[in-house]
């Protein structure tokens, strides 16, 4: 593996990793939009076509992003998916604890808003404004599909991508990867600034800051558990409560305490949860992504600009098998010592 770089080289690699994360976020947004438009157009005459189109677009963008990242980073798709824990669904009691925290916060917010004479929560996001019909497509996307694809991309793909790019910079690369992936997740919500019929600017600004902190919290839980399903479950729980906040709030000001206090309390709660998750990761000893070491080890034994062809594939496969045996042996040793 390469020795850590410093100075100008360090800043250059950091900048490239950040830019790749930024443009990958745009790629995710544009890809999801294009897949959604195409599938909805093709299925517009089919009963339930919008729901089917949303499901197809979700899985299409997930497959595209993992395939592209695997090819550009020389990591096997199967191995990347395995590192996410995608085929090992596991959710800890942490999700139940967070649900209770959300519930208590929700009850406090309702009580606080009732004292102020204005309760903002409603189920208007789930219904069509003109007809009053329940929007199954929107409910399914908000509560299930959006958490699935966003966690798959931001935690499963983007975090791994930034970690890999930063692998030659510093010892605690995972900290910078957590910071950048959370930043990208928060900036994703800034897209609402360009929506003509979207929520108010203050609402979007608070949404962006909340997204930043939540992104860090989810990424840290992903590192702590090594399983993306807990992040998806946490995201579902969050969206369940967040969906009760109507987007058409008019134009609230910073002096509207019935809006600002609950929003700030949400940010503070997630900052505390992120801090607890950070302590859990530090207690675990940080993060070590063996996929990165496998690819780096293979790359150091190959001539420059010859990382393709059958020889390279055989080389990568041999290194992966060897590394897999080492990792399995190390896990058995640690388990025995415990």
């Amino acid at each position: 593996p390469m020795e850590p770089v410093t100075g100008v080289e360090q800043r250059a690699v950091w900048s490239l990793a950040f830019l790749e994360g930024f443009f990958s976020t745009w790629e995710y947004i544009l890809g999801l939009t294009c897949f959604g438009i195409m599938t909805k157009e093709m299925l517009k005459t089919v009963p339930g076509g919008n729901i089917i189109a949303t499901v197809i677009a979700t899985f299409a963008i997930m497959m595209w992003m993992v395939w592209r990242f695997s090819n550009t980073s020389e990591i096997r798709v199967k191995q990347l998916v395995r590192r996410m824990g995608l085929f090992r669904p596991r959710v800890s009691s942490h999700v139940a604890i967070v649900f209770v925290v959300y519930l208590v916060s929700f009850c406090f917010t309702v009580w606080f808003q009732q004292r102020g004479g204005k309760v903002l929560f409603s189920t208007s996001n789930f219904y069509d404004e003109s007809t009053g019909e329940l929007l199954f497509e929107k409910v399914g996307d908000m509560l299930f599909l959006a958490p699935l694809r966003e966690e798959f991309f931001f935690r499963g793909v983007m975090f791994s991508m930034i970690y890999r790019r930063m692998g030659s910079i510093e010892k605690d690369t995972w900290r910078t990867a957590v910071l950048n992936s959370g930043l990208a997740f928060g900036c994703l919500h800034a897209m609402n600034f360009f929506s003509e019929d979207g929520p108010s600017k203050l609402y979007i600004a608070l949404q962006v800051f909340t997204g930043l902190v939540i992104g860090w919290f989810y990424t840290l839980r992903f590192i702590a558990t090594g399983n993306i399903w807990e992040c998806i479950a946490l995201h579902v729980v969050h969206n369940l409560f967040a969906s009760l906040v109507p987007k058409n709030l008019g134009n609230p000001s910073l002096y509207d305490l019935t809006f600002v206090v609950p929003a700030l309390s949400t940010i503070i709660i997630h900052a505390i949860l992120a801090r607890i998750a950070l302590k859990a990761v530090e207690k675990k000893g940080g993060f070590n992504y063996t996929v990165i070491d496998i690819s780096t080890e293979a790359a150091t034994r190959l001539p420059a600009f010859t990382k393709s062809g059958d020889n390279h594939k055989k080389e990568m496969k041999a290194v992966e098998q060897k590394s897999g045996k080492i990792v399995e042996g190390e896990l058995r040793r640690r388990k025995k010592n415990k």
Side-chain angles (χ1 to χ4, degrees):
M2 295 179 291
E3 293 295 327
V5 297
T6 57
V8 176
E9 291 179 338
Q10 182 178 11
R11 290 192 292 272
V13 177
W14 196 97
S15 300
L16 288 173
F18 174 79
L19 287 174
E20 186 169 16
F22 176 79
F23 285 112
S24 293
T25 303
W26 274 101
E27 182 181 356
Y28 165 81
I29 296 170
L30 294 176
L32 182 62
T33 303
C34 292
F35 284 133
I37 293 174
M38 289 189 296
T39 50
K40 286 181 180 180
E41 184 65 24
M42 290 187 293
L43 300 173
K44 62 182 180 180
T45 58
V46 178
N50 284 343
I51 299 176
I52 299 173
T54 304
V55 173
I56 293 175
T58 293
F59 284 94
I61 192 62
M62 287 168 58
M63 288 187 291
W64 165 254
M65 294 307 299
V66 74
W67 177 85
R68 191 190 69 78
F69 171 62
S70 298
N71 279 269
T72 56
S73 301
E74 297 177 337
I75 297 174
R76 294 165 66 91
V77 173
K78 181 179 178 181
Q79 192 170 30
L80 178 61
V81 171
R82 180 163 55 86
R83 297 295 173 184
M84 297 181 197
L86 201 62
F87 299 125
R88 294 180 290 106
R90 186 175 67 251
V91 177
S92 70
S93 59
H94 196 89
V95 177
I97 296 173
V98 171
F99 177 81
V100 173
V101 171
Y102 283 171
L103 187 60
V104 172
S105 175
F106 176 77
C107 293
F108 165 77
T109 303
V110 172
W111 170 80
F112 183 81
Q113 290 178 347
Q114 283 180 337
R115 287 178 60 88
K118 184 172 63 175
V119 178
L120 301 179
F121 293 111
S122 74
T123 57
S124 60
N125 289 331
F126 299 141
Y127 295 91
D128 187 282
E129 294 182 359
S130 57
T131 63
E133 294 181 355
L134 180 63
L135 301 173
F136 291 101
E137 172 201 351
K138 198 169 185 179
V139 173
D141 185 59
M142 191 181 300
L143 297 182
F144 302 105
L145 295 178
L148 177 64
R149 63 173 177 260
E150 289 180 7
E151 293 310 309
F152 187 88
F153 173 65
F154 286 100
R155 253 56 68 184
V157 175
M158 177 171 286
F159 172 76
S160 303
M161 175 183 66
I162 296 177
Y163 183 91
R164 169 161 168 70
R165 295 293 182 257
M166 304 285 291
S168 61
I169 291 185
E170 53 196 24
K171 181 180 178 181
D172 291 335
T173 300
W174 61 271
R175 296 178 185 272
T176 308
V178 169
L179 181 67
N180 281 342
S181 60
L183 184 63
F185 185 68
C187 291
L188 173 69
H189 298 86
M191 291 295 298
N192 292 326
F193 278 115
F194 303 100
S195 177
E196 295 181 357
D197 57 347
S200 68
K201 304 303 184 205
L202 177 61
Y203 179 93
I204 298 172
L206 290 171
Q207 191 181 40
V208 170
F209 281 110
T210 305
L212 283 173
V213 182
I214 290 176
W216 294 329
F217 169 52
Y218 290 168
T219 308
L220 289 167
R221 286 306 302 169
F222 174 60
I223 296 174
T225 61
N227 196 293
I228 201 172
W229 287 103
E230 175 159 323
C231 299
I232 294 172
L234 289 169
H235 203 146
V236 169
V237 171
H238 174 266
N239 280 13
L240 177 64
F241 287 95
S243 62
L244 297 176
V245 180
K247 292 184 178 180
N248 299 324
L249 291 174
N251 200 8
S253 68
L254 285 172
Y255 302 102
D256 187 354
L257 297 181
T258 57
F259 172 75
V260 174
V261 169
L264 292 178
S265 67
T266 301
I267 296 175
I268 293 171
I269 287 171
H270 284 96
I272 295 173
L273 291 172
R275 179 62 178 173
I276 295 172
L278 176 61
K279 289 293 184 181
V281 173
E282 290 176 339
K283 185 177 180 181
K284 181 183 175 182
F287 180 70
N288 183 21
Y289 203 12
T290 56
V291 170
I292 310 308
D293 298 332
I294 292 170
S295 184
T296 306
E297 183 179 345
T300 55
R301 300 211 305 265
L302 291 172
F305 307 109
T306 60
K307 301 178 182 179
S308 62
D310 294 336
N311 291 335
H312 175 55
K313 291 180 180 178
K314 292 179 181 178
E315 177 80 3
M316 288 292 293
K317 187 174 181 180
V319 173
E320 287 171 7
Q321 291 175 347
K322 179 180 177 182
S323 179
K325 292 178 180 178
I326 295 173
V327 171
E328 290 175 2
E330 178 66 16
L331 291 175
R332 284 196 298 269
R333 186 185 66 78
R334 291 182 182 181
K335 187 175 181 181
K336 184 178 179 181
N337 291 338
K338 287 183 179 180

